[in-house]
Amino acid sequence: MAARSTASSCPSNLASQLASTGAARQLITVQSSGWGTSVASVELWQRTGTCWVSVAGPWSGFIGQSGFSDHKSEGDGTTPTGIYGLGPVMYGNAPNPGVQEPYHLLRCGDWWDEDPSSPGYNTFQELACNQPRPFDGGSEALWQETGPYPSFAVIDYNTGPIVRGAGSAIFFHASTGGPTVGCVSVPLADLDLALRWLDPADSPAFVMGPAAEMTRY
């Protein structure tokens, strides 16, 4: 009886209504008003005992220019729906803002392989500066993207296993004032607060989708 009483005392909120958060004790929810909009609400949640508590946000952010999709494909301009973990390394063109994960300061030759025909599709690639790249397909020269990538986290989408053509380079990065091509973006001050807060020991997860669909994830 005591356990049921404790659970029932938890506030009803978005995080508590999600279908399954697994081992996650930290969540970043990204929800939009509908499938086709590129504007999203981003909020941070911490599990305390049996309850989920909002710790920051909601912030106004952006997702893909074509909104959300249950069936993302490379180059379609959508952000994938669902629940995803946090990649094992954070990256950035600016000095480490104080994150709890390993941080890679980007340099000339650092790419994200977005070529579906490449063996390294949807992975970080370190090449020598000005070395010809063995991949194409819109791959990003990360060190040149100083606006969106002063610092960013990798949303662990299409990684286990990697499906060719299912989409790549889904990041949580700084807003440049408009829609992305599939990533999630928020203002830099909010981003760096979130990146410092994310703790790998708490198995963080991103939960993303239209508001009316969020509880199925």
Side-chain angles (χ1 to χ4, degrees):
M1 292 298 291
R4 286 197 291 273
S5 176
T6 300
S8 65
S9 68
C10 293
S12 178
N13 53 41
L14 173 60
S16 70
Q17 295 169 22
L18 299 174
S20 176
T21 52
R25 293 183 296 280
Q26 290 183 326
L27 297 176
I28 297 182
T29 57
V30 183
Q31 61 175 330
S32 66
S33 61
W35 289 98
T37 181
S38 60
V39 176
S41 176
V42 179
E43 192 162 2
L44 312 187
W45 305 85
Q46 183 78 47
R47 186 161 188 149
T48 303
T50 59
C51 300
W52 285 105
V53 178
S54 175
V55 296
W59 302 318
S60 181
F62 291 99
I63 57 171
Q65 60 195 5
S66 299
F68 277 120
S69 174
D70 280 344
H71 305 286
K72 180 173 175 56
S73 61
E74 188 67 44
D76 67 359
T78 68
T79 297
T81 58
I83 181 167
Y84 304 101
L86 174 70
V89 177
M90 293 184 187
Y91 302 87
N93 285 295
N96 186 341
V99 305
Q100 300 182 62
E101 282 202 322
Y103 186 82
H104 179 92
L105 186 63
L106 295 167
R107 60 167 184 80
C108 178
D110 287 347
W111 292 83
W112 202 272
D113 185 345
E114 300 176 44
D115 180 355
S117 67
S118 168
Y121 178 59
N122 198 27
T123 63
F124 174 73
Q125 298 289 321
E126 286 186 270
L127 305 180
C129 187
N130 300 319
Q131 174 185 343
R133 64 185 188 272
F135 42 80
D136 200 352
S139 298
E140 282 192 279
L142 298 174
W143 77 97
Q144 296 177 357
E145 300 292 341
T146 55
Y149 301 153
S151 50
F152 70 91
V154 179
I155 298 173
D156 210 14
Y157 167 75
N158 194 23
T159 60
I162 294 172
V163 177
R164 301 287 181 91
S168 60
I170 304 301
F171 303 147
F172 181 46
H173 67 68
S175 173
T176 57
T180 72
V181 293
C183 296
V184 176
S185 71
V186 294
L188 180 58
D190 298 331
L191 174 73
D192 280 347
L193 183 156
L195 297 188
R196 288 191 292 269
W197 168 77
L198 285 165
D199 184 350
D202 280 345
S203 304
F206 293 81
V207 187
M208 311 193 294
E213 304 290 329
M214 288 291 281
T215 56
R216 68 182 168 99
Y217 307 127

